[in-house]
Amino acid sequence: MPTLQALRPFAHREYRVLIAALAISIFGSGMWAVAMVYQVIHLGGGPLELSLVATAGSVGLVAFVLAGGIAADRVPQRLLIIGVEGANLAVIATISVLAMTGWLQLWHLAVGSFVLGVGAAFFFPAYSAILPRILPPEDLLAANGMEGTMRPMLQQAAGPAVAGILVAALSPAHAVTGVAACHLLAFVTLTFLGRHALAAPVNGASGSSAPNNGAHVSTAHSGSHVEQGTGTTDAGKTSFFADLREGIRYTVRTPWLLWTLLWACVSVLFLIGPIEVLMPFVVRDQLGGDSSMFGFLLAVMGVGGAAGSLLTASLKLPRRYLTVMMVCWGAGSLPLAAIGILDSFWPVAASMFIFGATGGVGMVIWGTLLQRRVPSHLLGRVSSLDFFVSLALMPVSMALAGPAAEVLPIWVIFLVAGGVCPILAVIAMIVARMPQDELSHPLDTPAGAEKTA
């Protein structure tokens, strides 16, 4: 049954512990987004101060995400995840005490935001790398879909709503204390994660040194099939840059991976700026709405993402997984091309829902492919590269959207953004020969049934 398919990962104790801690931590992050804003305002800060605090978090994330990927391939992921959550707890608890005692200053918030960004840079590559060690390959799609379902619900909806209630009823300091309580509970939950994860291969310690020939090997714990890497080295004998070069080299030599990342770079550059920067003016000038309508449209996109993720989690990985992923991403961008000329709320909302839903489907498949086709000793680095290219171009896209709107009509910008991405998706599929690749590397067969090249 589809519903049971989505719940299959919960049969594994380690996953239940991990996803429970992740859900609590994500909920706390949603609370922090609101608590931090009103704490800055409470201290007398304005837009400039708020921008500085928020930027500090982004800088920490972007600056350390590649290091986080290398750490995920060197350090046992269980220790890394627990350590990050402990650091988050220490930072938020300190800010909470300072706020409650009246000693909190803006620079405290900026430093805390930076440390939280660094923590996220280390947490998510480790989370992506540990999933294949605690779940069999046939359950990874459902696990990624579950994360994609709960993230918009907890981080974009429930967390901010609860924080807003606490701020209105009590104070921003009490909302920060609520965030600290979330991280405390997440930290305690993670300590129940089985210690067998400590024995997982680190940086290819148990891998093979065979060349990348498309062969499939089975990991010791879950039996998942991954493509052979370019060789393995002892973690203690390689430098940071050597590890980074190995991850980049594997990415460049793997066509489906390289061209998907290139498409992602272009899509982030063309789509994020119009949605985040120009959409409010579409709401004001074309729809006659206000900030609440803009917020509702973003919420509709989040609901679409959750629905698409849940649907994907409830089904089996499609045999044509690369084709389905790229078609969802490419075709899902098309409705955005019409946003600049629509003058009614519901067509715009439908476009945002479709964009969110197809994006959710593609992201769940993408995360599963990384975990099943990238060698385990490279998974952290490749995941962090994916994270890095997306984050690095987000501010560039938002910085370019405003000047572009000064010289071009907004409807032209949306038309180009929504039209370029599907075309490039088709190009990526052809150049990387994705239809042939997915047939040569089937992932819909039972574990252990694939032939070794």
Side-chain angles (χ1 to χ4, degrees), residues 95-165:
I95 292 176
S96 173
V97 171
L98 293 174
M100 286 294 190
T101 57
W103 293 350
L104 185 65
Q105 299 180 32
L106 283 171
W107 72 268
H108 294 142
L109 287 172
V111 172
S113 181
F114 176 81
V115 175
L116 292 176
V118 174
F122 282 85
F123 183 92
F124 289 105
Y127 171 81
S128 180
I130 201 174
L131 273 184
R133 304 208 183 281
I134 64 177
L135 288 175
E138 60 269 18
D139 289 345
L140 289 174
L141 184 72
N144 290 313
M146 192 57 61
E147 182 201 353
T149 301
M150 74 181 188
R151 186 172 295 279
M153 295 173 61
L154 297 178
Q155 191 169 15
Q156 299 175 16
V162 171
I165 293 173

Side-chain angles (χ1 to χ4, degrees), residues 294-431:
F294 173 63
F296 187 78
L297 285 174
L298 293 183
V300 167
M301 184 175 66
V303 170
S309 298
L310 182 59
L311 174 64
T312 310
S314 303
L315 303 173
K316 293 182 178 180
L317 184 69
R319 184 166 183 259
R320 292 280 191 173
Y321 48 85
L322 289 171
T323 300
V324 172
M325 179 181 72
M326 296 304 297
V327 168
C328 281
W329 277 342
S333 304
L334 273 175
L336 298 182
I339 283 182
I341 59 175
L342 296 174
D343 57 2
S344 177
F345 170 78
W346 291 111
V348 174
S351 299
M352 297 294 285
F353 181 86
I354 294 172
F355 177 70
T358 53
V361 172
M363 284 303 300
V364 172
I365 296 176
W366 171 245
T368 305
L369 295 186
L370 292 182
Q371 292 157 355
R372 293 196 62 180
R373 291 197 58 180
V374 173
S376 60
H377 72 284
L378 290 171
L379 182 53
R381 278 166 282 179
V382 174
S383 297
S384 66
L385 282 172
D386 171 37
F387 209 18
F388 178 78
V389 297
S390 300
L391 292 171
L393 290 180
M394 279 185 183
V396 176
S397 178
M398 288 186 279
L400 293 177
E406 294 293 325
V407 297
L408 294 172
I410 288 181
W411 70 267
V412 172
I413 296 175
F414 274 98
L415 179 64
V416 172
V420 165
C421 293
I423 295 174
L424 290 179
V426 174
I427 294 175
M429 292 175 62
I430 295 174
V431 175

Side-chain angles (χ1 to χ4, degrees), residues 30-400:
M31 289 186 64
W32 170 251
V34 172
M36 179 267 291
V37 169
Y38 286 97
Q39 190 65 71
V40 170
I41 296 174
H42 181 73
L43 295 175
L48 176 60
E49 289 76 12
L50 180 58
S51 178
L52 289 174
V53 173
T55 301
S58 300
V59 169
L61 182 59
V62 174
F64 285 88
V65 68
L66 294 179
I70 293 174
D73 291 334
R74 283 173 168 261
V75 181
Q77 292 97 13
R78 176 184 180 274
L79 291 182
L80 196 57
I81 290 173
I82 294 176
V84 168
E85 198 58 45
N88 291 342
L89 171 60
V91 168
I92 299 296
T94 301
I95 292 176
S96 173
V97 171
L98 293 174
M100 286 294 190
T101 57
W103 293 350
L104 185 65
Q105 299 180 32
L106 283 171
W107 72 268
H108 294 142
L109 287 172
V111 172
S113 181
F114 176 81
V115 175
L116 292 176
V118 174
F122 282 85
F123 183 92
F124 289 105
Y127 171 81
S128 180
I130 201 174
L131 273 184
R133 304 208 183 281
I134 64 177
L135 288 175
E138 60 269 18
D139 289 345
L140 289 174
L141 184 72
N144 290 313
M146 192 57 61
E147 182 201 353
T149 301
M150 74 181 188
R151 186 172 295 279
M153 295 173 61
L154 297 178
Q155 191 169 15
Q156 299 175 16
V162 171
I165 293 173
L166 288 176
V167 170
L170 299 172
S171 70
H174 285 84
V176 174
T177 303
V179 178
C182 289
H183 284 294
L184 174 60
L185 183 57
F187 177 77
V188 172
T189 302
L190 283 173
T191 60
F192 290 94
L193 198 60
R195 292 185 176 274
H196 72 274
L198 290 172
V202 179
N203 202 17
S206 66
S208 167
S209 58
N212 182 11
N213 59 5
H216 289 78
V217 296
S218 179
T219 61
H221 175 70
S222 66
S224 61
H225 296 280
V226 295
E227 294 173 17
Q228 289 284 59
T230 57
T232 60
T233 56
D234 183 83
K237 296 182 180 180
T238 58
S239 66
F240 173 91
F241 291 105
D243 283 350
L244 182 59
R245 283 195 301 270
E246 186 182 13
I248 295 175
R249 188 162 54 243
Y250 174 80
T251 300
V252 172
R253 293 178 178 178
T254 309
W256 70 268
L257 184 58
L258 173 64
W259 281 93
T260 304
L261 286 179
L262 290 176
W263 181 89
C265 289
V266 174
S267 67
V268 167
L269 185 63
F270 275 85
L271 296 176
I272 297 300
I275 291 174
E276 297 288 341
V277 177
L278 302 183
M279 184 66 77
F281 298 99
V282 171
V283 170
R284 185 192 68 183
D285 300 334
Q286 296 175 205
L287 307 182
D290 54 14
S291 59
S292 61
M293 181 181 289
F294 173 63
F296 187 78
L297 285 174
L298 293 183
V300 167
M301 184 175 66
V303 170
S309 298
L310 182 59
L311 174 64
T312 310
S314 303
L315 303 173
K316 293 182 178 180
L317 184 69
R319 184 166 183 259
R320 292 280 191 173
Y321 48 85
L322 289 171
T323 300
V324 172
M325 179 181 72
M326 296 304 297
V327 168
C328 281
W329 277 342
S333 304
L334 273 175
L336 298 182
I339 283 182
I341 59 175
L342 296 174
D343 57 2
S344 177
F345 170 78
W346 291 111
V348 174
S351 299
M352 297 294 285
F353 181 86
I354 294 172
F355 177 70
T358 53
V361 172
M363 284 303 300
V364 172
I365 296 176
W366 171 245
T368 305
L369 295 186
L370 292 182
Q371 292 157 355
R372 293 196 62 180
R373 291 197 58 180
V374 173
S376 60
H377 72 284
L378 290 171
L379 182 53
R381 278 166 282 179
V382 174
S383 297
S384 66
L385 282 172
D386 171 37
F387 209 18
F388 178 78
V389 297
S390 300
L391 292 171
L393 290 180
M394 279 185 183
V396 176
S397 178
M398 288 186 279
L400 293 177

